[in-house]
Amino acid sequence: MLCKWCRSTEANQSNNTVYWELPDGSRAITINETPCIHCEDCGMQYQTDETTEIIENHLLLIDTKLLPDITNYEQLLAQPKILKRYYFDFST
Ligand SMILES: [Zn+2]
């Protein structure tokens, strides 16, 4: 896999811990075991655009107040999306 920082081909899929600011800016949470690319050559660990998008989108759709300060990627994505229900609630 190609490292987007140093162009080395020594980059591998891995996972790491990331600190993510919530969309409303109220706090940051720790997300363990988040899929990342780890480059053996330059030591860089980074999330792909795809993973970043999945996390960002999901945080917009769930009730982030229910999130613990420390979670993991799987638990985060398991949080039920509430946005749709809110729409229904408002319309009834
Ligand atoms: Zn690299």
Side-chain angles (χ1 to χ4, degrees):
M1 195 172 257
L2 194 71
C3 173
K4 77 170 180 182
W5 297 99
C6 70
R7 302 272 155 208
S8 162
T9 52
E10 296 301 308
N12 292 305
Q13 213 129 28
S14 182
N15 53 62
N16 69 353
T17 298
V18 293
Y19 304 94
W20 213 277
E21 193 177 324
L22 298 181
D24 63 6
S26 59
R27 63 189 168 119
I29 57 164
T30 302
I31 310 170
N32 291 318
E33 292 159 58
T34 309
C36 73
I37 307 297
H38 178 220
C39 175
E40 300 283 337
D41 271 344
C42 68
M44 191 63 91
Q45 292 184 8
Y46 60 93
Q47 268 62 44
T48 61
D49 291 345
E50 197 191 356
T51 302
T52 302
E53 217 176 289
I54 289 170
I55 295 173
E56 291 282 336
N57 285 342
H58 199 72
L59 287 174
L60 289 173
L61 294 174
I62 63 174
D63 186 354
T64 54
K65 288 185 192 72
L66 300 177
L67 279 177
D69 284 339
I70 300 172
T71 184
N72 69 46
Y73 186 72
E74 224 168 90
Q75 274 173 6
L76 176 69
L77 293 191
Q79 295 288 321
K81 298 175 182 175
I82 53 161
L83 202 60
K84 230 174 188 161
R85 202 183 73 214
Y86 275 161
Y87 280 128
F88 283 125
D89 282 351
F90 283 131
S91 64
T92 51

